Structures are given as C-alpha cells and as structure tokens.
Amino acid sequence: MGRLAYVNGRFVPHRKGQVHIEDRGYQFADGVYEVVPVADGHPVDENLHLDRLEYSLSALRIAMPMRREVLKLVSHEVIRRNKLTNGLLYMQVTRGVAHRDHKFPKHAKPALVMTAKQTKPPGAAELNAGLGVVTRPDIRWKRPDIKSISLLPNCLAKQEAVEAGAGEAWLVDEAGRVTEGSSTNAWIVTKDKRVITREAERRILNGITRRVLLNIMQAEGYSFEERPFTLEEAESASEAFLTSSSNFVMPVTKIDRRMVGNGEPGPLTQALRKAYIASFAPDGSIQ
Ligand code: PDD
C-alpha cells in the first residue's frame, strides 16, 4: 500500500486525493493548516499544534471540522496507515465548498485534508554547513499569527532565496527589523550570548518549535530576550539560527553576503538543537 491521504472523511491513495473546484481554500485561500513533526510514529507537541489550529480557525470564524479527540484519532490513523516513523503530518482545514462569493457562505461544512510525509533529518555535512539566508521586505498581510494557507508572499520570498543560492528568506519590516523567515522563526545570539527572537505579536507566527525552545531555555537558565532585532544586529551577531517543525533548530551561517560569526554553526545553536531534539527523542536517534 502506497501513500494515503485523508480527504473529507475518506482514506484515498495520495495521488487520487481531490477537492471540489469551489472549495474556498482553492478560490480564496480561505483556510488554515498545521504541520506537525512526527518522531518514532508519534506526533510531537500535538496539543500545542491543535491549540494553534483552534486559534487560527477561530480567528477566521471557521468551525473545527470535528472534535479535538476525533481529530487526534484520525491523524494517528493517517500516521499509522502511512507507516510514518519520522516526518511530517500535514492538516488543512478550509471553510468548505460554496458558490464563489466573497462573503461567508451560510451552510458550508469545513473541509479537512490530512497527509503524511516521511522526511530525513539533515546529515552532519548539512548541519556543519548551516543555511544561508537572504533578506527581503515583509510584504505579507498584517495577521501572520494566523496559520493561513494564503502563503504567496512566503513562496515568493523562498523562491528568491533559492535563486540566490540560499536556504531561507528572512523577512524585514518597515523599520528594518526582522520579523521571521518565510516558513521559519528567526533567532540571533549576541556577542554577550543573549539569544534574541521577536516576541509573538501579530507580525509573526508563534512557532511551536519556538515556544518549546523558549521553555527549554527558561528551564535551563539560558539568557534570552523576546524582542525585534534589526538587520544590523543580525549582521554583527555571533550566531544565528532558525526554527520550525521541519528544521527543528537549524544554524544560519550567512545573512545576505556576510558570514555570521566565523561562518560556522555556533556552540549555543548546536546545544539548543540537541536540547530541543532531546525533548521528544531522548534516545539520540535523531541528530
Ligand atoms: N512552517 N513562521 C512561519 C511563517 C511558518 O510557516 C512556520 C512553520 C514557522 C515555524 O512554526 P513551527 O515551529 O510551529 O513549525 C514560523 C511550516 C513548517 C510550513 O509551512 O511548512
């Protein structure tokens, strides 16, 4: 049995999964999503992801497609049927199917799709090289705290990063301060070893990896600040890294044309990657 997708109540072969042409997700990007890491067959920080799903849905006044406990059962079944060990679970909820009209339909039923994808954590060579990022103006709407499927500015920025030979784009607000990456949160470490990341106001997505890492840092006594940092600060930082469900904690070794520190992943970044991964895979099976 190959990959399976869950589409509105049915499990279907992944390549045969289909949604209606008048699904509002397709026509208006009227929907939200979650990407949940899966380790050893179990979703990581599942409740935090489901809390954020509920937050995004309620911000757009879309109902939960099913009760949380049922949603968990279905997602575990997606993981099981796909024999997923380590990878990502994707869930998307849209407002549903209705004749094309901007205002909310009266009777649409939220549409739910889930898929699972096996992924390979980066090898030693990739981790030692770290990622380069390019900086781009943040042209997104003013509610990136909602995990909306409307990701065009994010896709444009990522594509520009790839075309510039980089791995991610860091988005910069009107005041020259970094908001976050196109699909990751952005962090720097100052020369006096303070870890800085933007506070979770409406200009960024409050990453689950970000939140869990902040808790770890708090518990382990790291010194950190949640505040915006400027591009100049990023350029003179001693370390930089990014976080997300698909990257965990990933060193950033170049910002635009400048090396960060000596151009190698910093010691604090490496320690934080270890500590984050140990929070869900304490057996050392993931590096
Ligand atoms: N991206 N910021 C943005 C804009 C994101 O899209 C993401 C997640 C993050 C990190 O959030 P988390 O730690 O909860 O994954 C920050 C997912 C992985 C994606 O779009 O594929």
Side-chain angles (χ1 to χ4, degrees):
M1 187 66 86
R3 261 180 103 189
L4 290 174
Y6 174 88
V7 184
N8 290 320
R10 293 196 307 147
F11 283 93
V12 294
H14 188 274
R15 65 194 158 75
K16 294 224 165 125
Q18 290 183 343
V19 292
H20 197 285
I21 56 167
E22 286 199 307
D23 186 290
R24 286 179 62 97
Y26 180 58
Q27 290 186 327
F28 296 116
D30 187 0
V32 305
Y33 73 107
E34 274 299 320
V35 177
V36 186
V38 174
D40 199 20
H42 300 286
V44 176
D45 296 316
E46 183 180 38
N47 278 322
L48 295 178
H49 282 278
L50 293 178
D51 288 346
R52 188 172 63 187
L53 179 69
E54 285 182 1
Y55 171 81
S56 301
L57 286 171
S58 81
L60 300 185
R61 291 196 276 148
I62 300 175
M64 271 285 268
M66 51 182 69
R67 282 190 299 117
R68 178 186 282 233
E69 290 314 310
V70 184
L71 196 65
K72 279 188 186 175
L73 288 179
V74 175
S75 63
H76 299 172
E77 196 56 19
V78 172
I79 293 170
R80 195 185 67 78
R81 292 201 194 199
N82 283 285
K83 299 189 174 63
L84 182 63
T85 49
N86 296 310
L88 298 167
L89 172 73
Y90 178 79
M91 338 181 158
Q92 176 173 310
V93 183
T94 68
R95 199 178 303 277
V97 176
H99 290 307
R100 188 178 181 283
D101 187 352
H102 288 62
K103 69 178 183 294
F104 295 173
K106 280 216 171 74
H107 303 295
K109 194 167 150 274
L112 170 64
V113 169
M114 286 193 216
T115 58
K117 184 169 84 176
Q118 187 81 21
T119 57
K120 222 173 77 201
E126 260 176 280
L127 283 174
N128 289 336
L131 285 182
V133 301
V134 294
T135 57
R136 287 291 179 275
D138 191 342
I139 59 167
R140 299 175 301 168
W141 73 326
K142 295 195 172 107
R143 292 302 305 276
D145 58 315
I146 301 170
K147 202 161 169 59
S148 141
I149 56 172
S150 169
L151 289 171
L152 195 48
N154 309 58
C155 295
L156 291 172
K158 181 79 95 197
Q159 181 59 25
E160 287 179 19
V162 169
E163 286 172 9
E168 174 61 305
W170 276 8
L171 308 176
V172 181
D173 70 15
E174 317 72 42
R177 304 171 315 180
V178 174
T179 51
E180 60 180 331
S182 74
S183 63
T184 56
N185 287 117
W187 306 65
I188 56 168
V189 183
T190 61
K191 295 223 161 65
D192 57 354
K193 296 194 172 28
R194 285 184 80 69
V195 182
I196 318 282
T197 195
R198 194 163 176 131
E199 72 271 32
E201 24 73 78
R202 287 189 167 184
R203 293 300 300 267
I204 67 162
L205 182 79
N206 192 356
I208 305 301
T209 321
R210 170 190 183 283
R211 277 149 65 175
V212 172
L213 191 65
L214 285 172
N215 287 342
I216 292 172
M217 285 169 41
Q218 175 91 49
E220 297 192 2
Y222 285 90
S223 111
F224 64 90
E225 274 172 66
E226 288 180 80
R227 63 159 176 86
F229 58 84
T230 61
L231 256 186
E232 289 74 50
E233 275 184 286
E235 281 167 1
S236 61
S238 64
E239 301 182 29
F241 61 93
L242 52 79
T243 57
S244 76
S245 295
S246 42
N247 287 280
F248 306 148
V249 176
M250 187 72 189
V252 168
T253 46
K254 207 166 145 198
I255 300 174
D256 292 327
R257 283 164 204 270
R258 260 177 214 249
M259 280 193 325
V260 178
N262 63 2
E264 286 172 13
L268 237 121
T269 303
Q270 288 172 307
L272 289 173
R273 180 176 174 91
K274 271 213 177 83
Y276 173 69
I277 292 174
S279 73
F280 61 85
D283 61 355
S285 57
I286 304 174
Q287 289 305 302

